[in-house]
Amino acid sequence: MRNLEFKDKMYEYSLWRAKLIQSIEMYHQWRHRYGMHDAHTTNTILNTLATLNSDRITLAFVAEFSRGKTELINALFFAESGVRLLPSSPGRTTMSPTELFYDEEGGSYIRLLNIESRLEDISLAELKQTPERWIQIDLDPSSPSQMQKAFKELIATKLVNREIADKLGLWNEREAASQGIVNPEKVEVPCWRHALISFPHPLLKEGLSILDTPGLNALGTEPELTLNMLPNVQAIIFVLAADAGVTKSDMEIWLTHINRARSGKRQGLAVVLNKIDTMWDDLAGENEYNNSIKSQIKVSSATLKIDENSIFPVSAKQALLAKVKGDNTLLERSRVAALESYLATDILQQKRNILTETVVRDIGFLINESINLTNTSLANASSQLEEFKKVDFRNQDITGKLMAETRDKQNLYMANIENFQASRRVFMIQAKMLIDSFASDRVDAIFNGAKYEMSKSLTTYGMKQNIRKLFDDLRDLLQDSIDVTNETRRLVQAIHKKFKDEYGFKEIEPKLFSIKQYQIELEQVFEEGEAFRTSAKVTMTEQSIVINKLYSTLVNIAREILRQAHEDATTWSKGALTPLVYQIKEHKKQIENRLQMLRKINEAKGSVAENIANLEAELEPLIRQRDELSMMIKSMQLDANAVK
C-alpha cells in the first residue's frame, strides 16, 4: 500500500527533526562551555528548541459541502481502523472546523466549542487557551467503534430562532429562498463552532496535524481560519467534485480564502478532483473515461490558474474501501497513490526546507558569530605564537618595545570601550523608539477610540466610515513603525561598520530587525477589513453585532500581530550589539594574555622555550573549540552558505 510511503517519510522527517534538536542543544552547551552565553542568546536558542519540539506538519483540507473531503481524510490516514472513522456519509458532513492532532499531555479526547461563542468578543485563539469553555468527550483509542460513535457529534445540529441564526452568521435569506424556504421560525444550525480531536494515531504522534474545514459558510464567518490558520498550514488540499468541476461556490472559496491565505503562492497547494468513480462508464470504455478525466483536469487548471501536475483525480470512497478490504486492484483504480506520493515527497521536503530556514533565520546569526569569533581567536593566537618564535627575547630593547606596543593597544582598547558605550546609548534610544512604535497603549488607544466612535454612530454609513478610519489609523501606525525600523537598521549597520573600520574588528553581519512579515500579515487584515466593511451582511446586521464580530475577529488578529511585533522588537534590541560585545571581550583577553607572557619573559620566569611551549599548549583548546563547532554545524545539516 502506498500510504506506507507517507508513514515512512513522516518517520524519517521525525528522526531528522530529533537530530536537529539534539545538535542545537549541543551548540547551546558549547556556548556555555566557552563563555559565549548571555541571557539574550540563551533565550533565543531555547525559543528555537521550543519551536522545533512543538512543530507539526499541518495539512488543511478545504472544500464546499458534499465534495467528499472528510472521506478523503479517512482514506488517506485512517483506513487501517477498518471503519469510516470520521463521519462522511452522504448528507451527513462535518459541520464545524475540526483539528486532528496528538496531545501527549491531554490524552485522547474531542473538545467541542458551542456555536453561541461566535456572539462573544473573544477570538478563537483565546478560547483555545481556556479548556473549561469546551465540552470534552473522552476517546478510547483501542476501540475504533467507540471513536466512530463519538465522532458523530461533529455533525450534530439543532434548531434555533431565525434571529439567532442571523446573528451567528448562519442565515442567508437569498440562499434559503432559492430552496423554497421563506421566513421560517426556526433554522437548523451546527451545534459546534470548532472541534479539537486528539488521539495517538501513529502519524499524529509523529507530528502530523489535520485541519478539516466545512464549506464556504464556515470560512466566511470565521476570518481566523483564512487569516491565521490557513496561512500557517504546510499544505492546502482543495477538494472538488470531478463530475461538477469548479462551481461558482468553489471559485469563491478559491479566490476569497485559499489565494488570500497563500498570498498567491503555489507551493504546498494541491487540487483534488474527487469522486472520479461517478465518471466510470463500462459502456464508454477506459479510453473515454481517461479522456474525460484529462479534460476535467485541463479545464480546472485553466480556471484556477494552477499547474496540471498539482491536480490529482481520485476516488476517496473507493480508496477507503480498497484499503479496508486489501483490494490492490481497486486501490490502483482509485488513483490515490499519486496524491499520497505528493504528500510524502513534495510536502514533507518543503516542510523540512521551511524548518531549516527557520533555524537559520533564528540562530544562524549566532552560529555565524561563533564561527567568526572562534576563527579569529585561533588566528590571533597562532599569529602571536609565530611572532614570538621569531623574536630574540635576550634583547631587552625588543622586549620593552613589544611591552610598549601592547600597552598602546590596551589604551586603544579603553577608548574602544568608551566609544562602544556611547554607541550603545545612542542605539538604546533608537531601539526604544522602535519598541514604542508597537506599544500596547498606542495600539489600544486606536482600537478603543474606534470602538467608541462606532458605537456612537447613528447610521450604518457612519459606522462603516469609522471602520475605515480604524484601518487607516492602523496603516499610519504601521508606516511609522516601518520608518523607525529603517532608521534603526541603518544605525546598527553604521555602528558595526565604525568598529570594523576604526578598530579592525572582524566584520560580522548584524542581525537586523525586519518588519516585513508583520506588514504582510497586517495588509491581509486590512484587505479582509475592507471586504467586511463593504459587505451587504454588515449593512443588514444590527450595529452591536457588527462591532462585536469585528473586534472578536479582525481586531483581535491585528492586535496579536502588533503584540508579536512589539515582543520581537524588544527581544531583538537586547542582542543587536552582542557580536561587538564578544569581540571587545576577546580583544581584551588577547591583550591581557600578551602582556602576561611578555612580563614573564621580561622577568626571566622560565625559559623562552618553556613560554613558547605554553603558547603552543594554549592553541589546543582553541582548535578543539573550532572542531567541536564544525562537527555540530555539520550535524545540523544546515547549508554552510546560509550561516555565513
Side-chain angles (χ1 to χ4, degrees):
M1 295 283 180
R2 290 295 297 271
N3 188 245
L4 186 62
E5 180 183 353
F6 184 73
K7 290 179 181 177
D8 289 345
K9 293 288 185 181
M10 272 294 297
Y11 180 66
E12 286 176 16
Y13 171 81
S14 185
L15 286 179
W16 169 81
R17 188 184 62 188
K19 186 177 179 182
L20 179 60
I21 290 170
Q22 183 184 44
S23 299
I24 294 173
E25 286 172 342
M26 290 171 62
Y27 172 63
H28 186 211
Q29 294 164 5
W30 178 91
R31 288 187 72 98
H32 274 263
R33 190 157 57 247
Y34 293 108
M36 290 188 189
H37 66 286
D38 57 74
H40 169 70
T41 55
T42 295
N43 189 54
T44 299
I45 293 171
L46 291 179
N47 284 341
T48 300
L49 288 170
T51 298
L52 291 171
N53 279 309
S54 62
D55 167 69
R56 284 177 178 157
I57 293 176
T58 304
L59 304 179
F61 289 77
V62 181
E64 187 55 291
F65 288 112
S66 302
R67 301 294 188 264
K69 167 179 48 62
T70 306
E71 186 81 331
L72 180 63
I73 295 172
N74 280 324
L76 286 171
F77 306 113
F78 305 129
E80 75 279 2
S81 67
V83 297
R84 182 173 279 111
L85 203 58
L86 298 176
S88 58
S89 301
R92 305 295 289 171
T93 186
T94 308
M95 300 298 291
S96 60
T98 302
E99 295 178 66
L100 295 98
F101 51 87
Y102 179 53
D103 174 6
E104 191 171 359
E105 291 184 8
S108 302
Y109 58 76
I110 302 177
R111 287 181 185 158
L112 301 161
L113 182 65
N114 68 66
I115 193 69
E116 288 78 11
S117 64
R118 279 190 183 179
L119 301 177
E120 301 176 53
D121 186 6
I122 306 174
S123 70
L124 190 58
E126 289 176 285
L127 287 165
K128 285 182 181 180
Q129 304 303 315
T130 317
E132 60 269 20
R133 290 295 308 272
W134 301 66
I135 292 172
Q136 179 160 319
I137 300 172
D138 292 331
L139 297 175
D140 179 3
S142 65
S143 173
S145 59
Q146 186 270 343
M147 292 178 66
Q148 185 185 36
K149 184 178 178 182
F151 286 158
K152 287 182 179 177
E153 190 61 36
L154 299 173
I155 59 177
T157 61
K158 62 183 178 182
L159 292 173
V160 300
N161 291 333
R162 189 181 72 234
E163 293 76 14
I164 297 295
D166 192 35
K167 289 180 179 180
L168 291 169
L170 296 171
W171 168 249
N172 186 313
E173 192 168 349
R174 184 180 299 175
E175 188 179 301
S178 69
Q179 298 171 9
I181 303 170
V182 181
N183 294 328
E185 253 188 66
K186 301 283 186 180
V187 175
E188 187 179 33
V189 301
C191 288
W192 313 112
R193 176 184 178 186
H194 204 86
L196 303 173
I197 300 177
S198 166
F199 67 101
H201 183 277
L203 288 173
L204 302 182
K205 287 176 75 175
E206 293 293 350
L208 178 67
S209 176
I210 298 166
L211 173 61
D212 183 3
T213 66
L216 181 59
N217 200 27
L219 288 167
T221 54
E222 292 285 5
E224 282 182 85
L225 281 174
T226 304
L227 289 170
N228 271 8
M229 298 179 73
L230 289 182
N232 292 318
V233 302
Q234 181 51 38
I236 294 177
I237 293 88
F238 183 45
V239 186
L240 304 170
D243 54 347
V246 184
T247 67
K248 182 181 177 182
S249 59
D250 291 329
M251 198 65 191
E252 189 173 347
I253 289 178
W254 179 262
L255 293 174
T256 307
H257 302 288
I258 294 178
N259 271 4
R260 190 174 296 173
R262 302 303 295 180
S263 298
K265 290 186 293 185
R266 289 295 181 264
Q267 252 191 347
L269 180 59
V271 174
V272 171
L273 286 175
N274 193 21
K275 303 186 178 183
I276 58 171
D277 51 301
T278 61
M279 300 169 70
W280 291 353
D281 187 344
D282 292 336
L283 291 177
E286 193 71 19
N287 285 340
E288 186 64 31
Y289 167 62
N290 288 329
N291 289 336
S292 296
I293 291 176
K294 286 178 183 176
S295 174
Q296 194 63 278
I297 289 173
K298 190 170 185 176
V299 171
S300 299
S301 169
T303 305
L304 300 177
K305 296 181 174 57
I306 187 173
D307 192 282
E308 289 185 19
N309 291 327
S310 297
I311 300 178
F312 300 89
V314 304
S315 170
K317 179 181 176 181
Q318 301 304 324
L320 177 62
L321 181 63
K323 288 183 178 183
V324 170
K325 289 187 171 183
D327 186 337
N328 287 331
T329 303
L330 183 59
L331 184 64
E332 186 176 343
R333 201 169 184 204
S334 76
R335 303 199 186 192
V336 77
L339 178 60
E340 289 176 336
S341 179
Y342 166 73
L343 295 175
T345 52
D346 295 48
I347 294 301
L348 289 180
Q349 186 58 50
Q350 285 170 24
K351 179 61 176 177
R352 183 164 167 166
N353 293 343
I354 288 169
L355 211 57
T356 300
E357 288 167 9
T358 300
V359 170
V360 170
R361 184 196 68 216
D362 291 348
I363 66 169
F365 75 102
L366 291 179
I367 296 172
N368 183 29
E369 172 193 281
S370 300
I371 292 169
N372 281 307
L373 289 172
T374 302
N375 288 341
T376 299
S377 297
L378 184 56
N380 288 336
S382 299
S383 175
Q384 182 171 274
L385 174 62
E386 292 306 311
E387 178 191 5
F388 280 11
K389 281 181 178 179
K390 296 173 184 176
V391 172
D392 181 4
F393 286 106
R394 290 169 297 183
N395 186 327
Q396 292 293 316
D397 291 339
I398 293 177
T399 306
K401 184 180 177 184
L402 288 173
M403 290 279 286
E405 287 175 355
T406 307
R407 287 198 178 95
D408 286 342
K409 287 183 180 179
Q410 195 171 40
N411 292 332
L412 185 64
Y413 164 78
M414 297 309 295
N416 178 341
I417 286 287
E418 289 178 13
N419 274 323
F420 176 74
Q421 296 295 359
S423 296
R424 180 148 66 178
R425 284 192 291 271
V426 173
F427 168 75
M428 293 312 296
I429 292 169
Q430 184 65 37
K432 187 177 186 304
M433 290 172 62
L434 172 63
I435 293 164
D436 288 348
S437 71
F438 303 110
S440 59
D441 54 352
R442 188 180 177 197
V443 173
D444 288 343
I446 293 174
F447 289 141
N448 295 337
K451 192 171 188 179
Y452 175 72
E453 292 299 327
M454 285 179 214
S455 64
K456 281 202 321 180
S457 298
L458 299 177
T459 64
T460 300
Y461 175 79
M463 180 185 66
K464 285 187 172 186
Q465 290 304 104
N466 281 312
I467 293 175
R468 170 183 277 175
K469 185 177 183 302
L470 165 62
F471 289 110
D472 285 346
D473 289 345
L474 285 176
R475 274 199 175 90
D476 290 342
L477 181 146
L478 177 61
Q479 188 56 54
D480 287 346
S481 298
I482 291 170
D483 294 342
V484 176
T485 297
N486 290 335
E487 289 171 16
T488 309
R489 289 165 68 98
R490 285 192 290 269
L491 177 62
V492 171
Q493 288 172 318
I495 291 172
H496 277 76
K497 187 175 187 304
K498 172 188 172 77
F499 280 85
K500 173 183 175 289
D501 294 345
E502 294 184 15
Y503 300 104
F505 276 26
K506 175 81 174 177
E507 184 172 12
I508 297 177
E509 187 69 28
K511 184 183 182 185
L512 300 175
F513 182 73
S514 174
I515 199 172
K516 186 177 180 181
Q517 185 57 40
Y518 318 113
Q519 188 178 357
I520 291 170
E521 291 173 6
L522 282 172
E523 285 298 337
Q524 286 182 311
V525 173
F526 297 156
E527 281 183 33
E528 194 77 17
E530 183 60 14
F532 177 86
R533 189 184 73 84
T534 56
S535 69
K537 189 78 175 172
V538 166
T539 305
M540 299 168 63
T541 305
E542 184 185 322
Q543 184 173 294
S544 61
I545 296 172
V546 171
I547 296 171
N548 279 340
K549 186 67 178 175
L550 176 67
Y551 273 72
S552 66
T553 54
L554 298 176
V555 167
N556 271 333
I557 292 168
R559 194 194 301 273
E560 176 57 25
I561 293 168
L562 292 166
R563 185 205 63 77
Q564 189 63 55
H566 180 268
E567 182 181 307
D568 292 347
T570 303
T571 301
W572 170 81
S573 68
K574 293 175 181 176
L577 301 182
T578 298
L580 289 179
V581 172
Y582 283 125
Q583 287 201 69
I584 289 169
K585 285 181 179 177
E586 180 60 29
H587 192 51
K588 179 186 178 185
K589 183 180 174 183
Q590 289 167 17
I591 292 170
E592 289 174 346
N593 287 346
R594 185 178 178 88
L595 277 173
Q596 184 182 12
M597 182 63 68
L598 288 169
R599 285 194 195 102
K600 281 184 180 179
I601 293 170
N602 200 38
E603 294 167 6
K605 290 183 179 177
S607 67
V608 173
E610 286 175 355
N611 287 315
I612 295 295
N614 289 335
L615 279 176
E616 289 175 334
E618 286 177 11
L619 283 180
E620 291 178 12
L622 290 173
I623 293 169
R624 185 166 61 250
Q625 180 179 341
R626 180 201 61 189
D627 292 347
E628 287 174 3
L629 180 61
S630 298
M631 179 196 70
M632 284 179 285
I633 293 171
K634 185 177 180 181
S635 179
M636 289 180 201
Q637 297 180 27
L638 302 179
D639 180 359
N641 295 320
V643 295
K644 288 186 180 178

